[in-house]
Amino acid sequence: MEDELFDQIVSVFQTLVSWIAAGAMVFGGVVPYIPQYRDIRRTQNAEGFSSYVCLVLLVANILRILFRFGRYFETLLLWQSFIMIATMLIMLNLCTNVRTATELNTKRRSFIATDSKDEEVRIPKRLFLDFDWNYFWLWTRFLDYVQCVLAFTLVAAYVTYVLLDSALFVESLGFLAVFTEAMLGTPQLYCNYQNKSTEGMSIKMVLMWTSGDTFKTGYFLITQAPVQFWTCGLLQVVVDVTILFQVYYYSQYPQKPVSHTVSLTTSAKPSERSEDAFTRKPHKDTSTLINKA
């Protein structure tokens, strides 16, 4: 009787652990972006977060979903990809709204060139997809990002459908998906380097990246996963640690340019003195006239 009760308890515990592990596997990748999302909403400033991080994850997860048509993998990983795509779209929507609201330049940048009905912002009619490559993934409407993602998905799905029977293509597709995800932190690394600061970037997000990538790489090594898996995992850890080093370096040695308000204040002092001298002069002349009178 006691043995049966113990077996039932162990079975329930194993089921609970498996459910928790499944939930962590599906939603664990989303958690690092919660503090970044809250910081952007609180400060209404998205300059510290690179939107190219969203681009990398969208491409990686779309390729992973297509890879499943050629080689089966766990359904949990499939759901993880869908949830990550939805999360990145939510992040893009927030960043686009914040940057559009705070951007002084009213020129609209679009993925698909169309006529604008807005009287203040007019876009000349151009050919389909005739956009400026210098502003790729820097558009001013969330709809443009959705159109770009849909266009990439359709093209990638068509190529996958045509070459699905090729084992080389399927393996290359899987490697490309893993390698793209391994380059996740690279846009944020470059964004910090350009800004010479990590201001606006959530340190909690990077710490969660580092811990998750370290755990994942250790799991790949223990389970003797294919070489490309743990190699890309190590690459992710190196990028995460480099970003953390940027946090330390730019906090100890800030390299942001000095604000122009100081020079403006300094240059205003001579004018204040000249104004004082100018205002004092009439008083002196008035007193002289009174003495003469």
Side-chain angles (χ1 to χ4, degrees):
M1 184 68 179
E2 293 180 357
D3 293 338
E4 293 180 358
L5 180 61
F6 179 76
D7 292 339
Q8 291 178 356
I9 294 175
V10 171
S11 178
V12 171
F13 180 76
Q14 289 178 345
T15 304
L16 181 62
V17 171
S18 63
W19 277 101
I20 294 175
M25 181 67 70
V26 174
F27 298 100
V30 177
V31 173
Y33 299 95
I34 295 177
Q36 183 68 71
Y37 183 90
R38 296 179 61 184
D39 288 346
I40 294 176
R41 288 203 61 177
R42 178 176 53 84
T43 61
Q44 289 297 300
N45 184 5
E47 295 301 323
F49 176 72
S50 175
S51 59
Y52 289 100
V53 172
C54 301
L55 174 62
V56 170
L57 280 176
L58 285 170
V59 171
N61 284 278
I62 290 171
L63 293 180
R64 185 197 289 180
I65 293 173
L66 295 176
F67 175 63
R68 194 174 191 269
F69 289 96
R71 172 165 293 188
Y72 179 83
F73 55 81
E74 290 184 84
T75 307
L76 291 177
L77 295 177
L78 182 65
W79 280 108
Q80 182 192 44
S81 295
F82 283 116
I83 293 175
M84 183 60 71
I85 290 173
T87 303
M88 291 301 101
L89 292 176
I90 292 173
M91 289 292 296
L92 278 175
N93 186 27
L94 175 64
C95 293
T96 304
N97 293 336
V98 169
R99 286 169 180 164
T100 303
T102 57
E103 192 177 33
L104 296 178
N105 185 12
T106 57
K107 183 179 179 180
R108 178 174 294 176
R109 300 186 293 267
S110 300
F111 172 68
I112 296 180
T114 55
D115 288 336
S116 174
K117 296 181 180 180
D118 191 351
E119 295 180 357
E120 297 181 359
V121 183
R122 294 182 179 179
I123 303 176
K125 188 174 183 179
R126 299 183 296 175
L127 297 176
F128 181 72
L129 295 183
D130 183 18
F131 60 89
D132 191 350
W133 280 100
N134 294 325
Y135 295 107
F136 176 76
W137 209 253
L138 296 173
W139 303 305
T140 53
R141 298 184 308 168
F142 173 66
L143 179 61
D144 294 307
Y145 292 96
V146 176
Q147 291 171 344
C148 181
V149 171
L150 289 177
F152 172 78
T153 304
L154 290 176
V155 172
Y158 176 77
V159 174
T160 303
Y161 175 76
V162 173
L163 301 176
L164 192 60
D165 294 333
S166 173
L168 177 62
F169 172 78
V170 172
E171 294 298 328
S172 301
L173 183 65
F175 175 78
L176 186 60
V178 176
F179 181 76
T180 304
E181 187 176 0
M183 303 303 292
L184 166 63
T186 306
Q188 189 63 55
L189 181 71
Y190 183 70
C191 178
N192 296 339
Y193 174 76
Q194 276 192 320
N195 296 336
K196 303 299 181 184
S197 171
T198 57
E199 183 180 356
M201 181 196 70
S202 175
I203 301 177
K204 295 179 182 178
M205 178 186 69
V206 182
L207 289 174
M208 291 179 183
W209 278 357
T210 308
S211 59
D213 293 338
T214 303
F215 174 80
K216 180 175 62 177
T217 304
Y219 175 82
F220 289 154
L221 290 172
I222 293 174
T223 57
Q224 297 181 352
V227 177
Q228 59 264 36
F229 280 80
W230 60 263
T231 303
C232 294
L234 286 175
L235 179 61
Q236 281 184 282
V237 174
V238 171
V239 174
D240 296 339
V241 172
T242 307
I243 295 176
L244 291 176
F245 175 76
Q246 284 182 324
V247 174
Y248 168 77
Y249 181 80
Y250 290 133
S251 62
Q252 295 295 322
Y253 307 99
Q255 301 183 22
K256 271 196 169 184
V258 181
S259 177
H260 294 289
T261 54
V262 178
S263 59
L264 291 174
T265 307
T266 307
S267 62
K269 288 183 179 179
S271 61
E272 291 175 359
R273 292 176 182 174
S274 61
E275 289 178 4
D276 292 340
F278 180 77
T279 53
R280 288 172 186 170
K281 188 174 181 179
H283 292 292
K284 185 177 181 180
D285 295 339
T286 305
S287 61
T288 306
L289 292 174
I290 294 174
N291 291 334
K292 288 182 179 180

